[in-house]
């Protein structure tokens, strides 16, 4: 992890696709932003003027099937987590995210298209110290059989995810990852969202997953993987959960120095832990680049994955 200067994008770059839940076509454009701006969504295509929403925990208005950002007038941007994960994972501090529809395009179900857009735009250093939120004490949240905890960590930002489903195809998976741009690109950024074929009718009737397909979702039935091209990683489901965590916790507004552990979690749990952390002013402090460098030591591993049982997953609230 680099601790010195803030970064933004050199130029604009766009991607176009459909929303996984809305099924609507949408174009998203990443672009530069000033020092200390963070990530700002600019929603276009509305009646009247464009509307901006800061990508922070305070602007989250729903977490049932995806992370949804909005303001006092209602939702503005849904399924924000993958593009936010790409920005944070690739080491971008400040960016505008212009979008002309209600949902970030799902693309292939991973962050790969957003990583490619960041590469196309280029990353430039800005004349200001990078700032971090350093976790000072453990904060934990339990929701049903889900458990999440963020704790102090001496080496940047670490994510530890465990998934465990009752579906007979699922087994158990775990993956741990120490965040750095090249590791993110190689080990996490290509992991796709996933779901169970049996959930499709229920989701459609609820108005969700209208844009889901084998092109953007890893799909399982009760016995096997249905995508003919196979998996990108043996533990792709757990890795995608790590991708979601990085996106959801980017809503802290600054990079985190800490370790996050999630057991049977999802967007709702990630948001609950982050808001609990931010609400306790004794649990964190903001430090700048040189101070952050002095509090850390070199990272020894990029990530590790464990798969117990066969690969599987589910596509629903707090799952994918």
């Amino acid at each position: 992890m680099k601790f010195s200067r803030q970064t933004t994008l050199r130029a604009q770059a766009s991607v176009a696709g459909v929303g996984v839940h809305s099924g609507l076509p949408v174009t998203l454009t990443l672009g530069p932003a000033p020092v200390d701006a963070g990530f700002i969504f600019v929603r276009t295509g509305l009646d009247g003027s464009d509307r901006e929403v800061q990508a922070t925990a305070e602007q989250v208005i729903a977490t049932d099937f995806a992370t949804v950002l909005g303001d006092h007038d209602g939702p503005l941007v849904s399924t924000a987590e993958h593009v936010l994960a790409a920005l944070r994972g690739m080491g971008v501090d400040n960016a505008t995210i212009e979008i002309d529809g209600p949902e970030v395009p799902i693309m292939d179900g991973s962050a790969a298209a957003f990583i490619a857009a960041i590469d196309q735009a280029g990353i430039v250093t800005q004349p200001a110290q990078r700032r971090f939120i350093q976790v000072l004490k453990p904060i934990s949240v339990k929701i049903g059989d889900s458990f999440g905890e963020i704790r102090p960590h001496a080496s940047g930002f670490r994510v530890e995810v465990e998934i465990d489903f009752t579906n007979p195809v699922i087994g158990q998976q775990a993956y741990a990852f120490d965040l750095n741009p090249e590791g993110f690109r190689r080990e996490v950024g290509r992991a796709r969202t996933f779901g169970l074929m049996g959930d499709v009718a229920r989701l459609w009737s609820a108005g969700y997953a209208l844009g889901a397909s084998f092109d953007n979702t890893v799909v399982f039935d009760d016995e096997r993987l249905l995508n003919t091209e196979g998996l990108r990683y043996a533990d792709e489901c757990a890795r995608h959960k790590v991708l979601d965590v990085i996106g959801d916790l980017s809503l802290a507004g600054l990079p985190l120095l800490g370790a996050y552990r999630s057991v049977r979690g999802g967007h709702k749990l990630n948001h609950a832990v982050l808001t609990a952390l931010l609400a306790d002013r004794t649990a964190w402090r903001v430090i700048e680049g040189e101070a952050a460098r002095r509090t850390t030591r070199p990272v020894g591993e990029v990530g590790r994955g464990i798969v117990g049982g066969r690969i599987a997953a589910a596509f629903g609230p707090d799952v994918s």
Side-chain angles (χ1 to χ4, degrees):
M1 176 178 288
K2 296 181 179 179
F3 297 101
S4 54
R5 299 288 180 178
Q6 293 183 35
T7 64
T8 190
L9 300 176
R10 184 186 304 275
Q12 290 187 326
S14 298
V15 300
V18 300
V20 69
H21 291 304
S22 67
L24 298 174
V26 60
T27 297
L28 179 148
T29 301
L30 297 175
V35 163
D36 293 331
F39 304 141
I40 304 170
F41 282 93
V42 181
R43 175 69 194 279
T44 66
L46 300 167
D47 293 335
S49 60
D50 299 341
R51 287 161 62 189
E52 294 186 0
V53 60
Q54 193 80 27
T56 62
E58 292 81 1
Q59 304 305 128
V60 174
I61 63 173
T63 55
D64 287 336
F65 291 88
T67 296
V68 182
L69 303 175
D71 58 20
H72 61 278
D73 290 325
L76 286 174
V77 180
S78 178
T79 321
E81 58 271 11
H82 297 173
V83 66
L84 292 175
L87 289 164
R88 180 67 74 223
M90 295 302 293
V92 179
D93 295 289
N94 306 302
T96 57
I97 309 162
E98 184 177 299
I99 182 170
D100 65 0
E103 186 178 12
V104 171
I106 189 63
M107 307 311 290
D108 71 348
S110 77
F114 305 118
I115 294 171
I118 292 168
D119 288 342
Q120 179 184 342
I123 299 174
V124 294
T125 301
Q126 296 177 291
Q129 288 281 313
R130 176 171 282 165
R131 299 184 300 148
F132 298 82
I133 291 176
Q134 182 187 22
V135 178
L136 301 177
K137 69 179 186 182
I139 296 290
S140 62
V141 173
K142 193 174 189 300
I143 303 176
D145 64 354
S146 300
F147 173 81
E149 178 187 51
I150 192 161
R151 64 185 190 271
H153 183 59
S155 300
F157 182 54
R158 179 177 176 84
V159 182
E160 302 163 358
V161 162
E162 302 172 33
I163 58 175
D164 181 9
F165 298 101
T166 58
N167 184 281
V169 188
I170 196 164
Q172 298 176 334
Q173 297 180 42
Y175 193 73
F177 178 72
D178 291 291
L179 183 60
N180 66 87
E182 285 310 308
F184 180 82
R185 180 195 300 274
R186 185 177 62 251
E187 307 293 340
V188 173
R190 296 179 62 249
R192 297 164 292 177
T193 193
F194 55 93
L196 286 175
M197 181 59 75
D199 288 336
V200 171
R202 177 177 60 83
L203 290 167
W204 282 346
S205 66
Y208 293 99
L210 302 180
S213 72
F214 289 115
D215 293 330
N216 56 43
T217 306
V218 178
V219 184
F220 303 87
D221 65 14
D222 289 339
E223 297 180 351
R224 66 192 186 282
L225 170 70
L226 300 181
N227 300 66
T228 58
E229 74 276 15
L231 294 171
R232 294 176 176 176
Y233 313 93
D235 52 1
E236 186 167 358
C237 298
R239 294 186 191 224
H240 185 78
K241 284 289 195 176
V242 171
L243 172 65
D244 282 344
V245 166
I246 294 168
D248 287 341
L249 268 61
S250 75
L251 297 170
L254 296 172
L256 288 165
L257 298 178
Y260 178 75
R261 179 175 176 238
S262 167
V263 180
R264 302 183 187 91
H267 301 300
K268 187 180 298 294
L269 180 70
N270 298 339
H271 180 62
V273 174
L274 179 58
T275 53
L277 171 72
L278 296 177
D280 185 346
R281 281 301 283 112
T282 69
W284 56 277
R285 64 174 179 169
V286 174
I287 59 175
E288 291 194 341
E290 289 307 313
R293 186 194 304 274
R294 291 192 295 270
T295 65
T296 63
R297 55 181 170 78
V299 172
E301 67 175 343
V302 170
R304 69 172 190 270
I306 303 168
V307 182
R310 293 178 293 171
I311 304 297
F315 190 30
D318 284 336
V319 175
S320 63

